[in-house]
Amino acid sequence: MSAGVERFFDRAALDWDSRTETGTPTHLEPLATAVLEEGPVPERILEVGCGTGEGALFLAREFPRASVRGIDISGEMIRRATRKIGLDPDARVAFRVGDAATLPWPSESFDLVAQINMPVFFSEMSRVLRPGGRVIVTCSMGEQTPFFTPMRLLNRRFKKVGLEPEGSGRTGSGTWFIARKQAVTHGG
Ligand SMILES: C[S@@+](CC[C@H](N)C(=O)[O-])C[C@H]1O[C@@H](n2cnc3c(N)ncnc32)[C@H](O)[C@@H]1O
């Protein structure tokens, strides 16, 4: 990932919360809808391209027993996200700077990997996901979202890295998509 992207989003971070819809119902509705789809309750959650942290903090509220991590290439985004954590004695929520192309966690670290309005890093999302875990890809403005990835591409590319598409839909102005990593089958 180029330093240009990092610089661009460092600048964008300065007024991200006041200039964009981040954290509003419009922004979070696709994620809020996707997490209601039937599935196991996640224990370890990652938000990729978390920006100023609104998606990760929403997931922390939604799954109060889960540990939640957020990663973003922009140090300025992460500084702003970290300031929002507040009282968190168990260090359940943490944000760090890093590139989604080379996620700094071992394989199979998470059972939910989510993202809002962000390019999709298929291989890395799959690598850090436990068997049986899910990815959620949302775009708050649907096809109008700058990093929108068409559903047929999400279907095809996630299948290639071992995930089975489970559902997708529209809600408000946004879109959501869920895929599950194949669980390991034992026995003969
Ligand atoms: C359109 S913003 C969305 C931010 C946040 N998810 C939201 O919805 O408010 C895209 C975010 O992805 C981050 N980003 C872009 N490329 C990235 C990469 N390769 N690794 C990690 N973060 C990246 C940017 O720094 C930026 O914060």
Side-chain angles (χ1 to χ4, degrees), residues 49-114:
C50 63
T52 58
E54 293 294 337
L57 292 167
F58 166 78
L59 291 167
R61 292 191 294 275
E62 193 65 21
F63 299 107
R65 301 176 71 92
S67 80
V68 179
R69 300 291 176 261
I71 189 164
D72 199 283
I73 196 125
S74 157
E76 196 55 45
M77 290 283 191
I78 290 299
R79 266 189 289 283
R80 281 154 201 270
T82 302
R83 275 191 227 136
K84 294 179 185 171
I85 293 176
L87 199 60
D88 183 20
D90 299 328
R92 204 164 65 79
V93 180
F95 295 102
R96 69 188 284 182
V97 178
D99 190 342
T102 52
L103 290 170
W105 287 281
S107 300
E108 304 184 2
S109 292
F110 300 97
D111 46 21
L112 174 60
V113 180

Side-chain angles (χ1 to χ4, degrees), residues 107-175:
S107 300
E108 304 184 2
S109 292
F110 300 97
D111 46 21
L112 174 60
V113 180
Q115 62 169 63
I116 309 173
N117 303 347
M118 162 75 189
V120 186
F121 288 78
F122 297 93
S123 301
E124 276 298 90
M125 287 176 88
S126 171
R127 183 184 66 77
V128 298
L129 198 60
R130 292 176 185 159
R134 297 188 297 172
V135 295
I136 296 179
V137 175
T138 68
C139 287
S140 55
M141 301 299 289
E143 290 83 348
Q144 309 305 315
T145 310
F147 292 117
F148 178 74
T149 306
M151 292 296 162
R152 64 176 187 289
L153 200 63
L154 292 175
N155 277 305
R156 197 172 70 234
R157 296 286 305 277
F158 274 123
K159 275 184 180 172
K160 267 193 163 176
V161 293
L163 274 72
E164 196 52 38
E166 284 210 322
S168 61
R170 290 179 179 274
T171 179
S173 54
T175 52

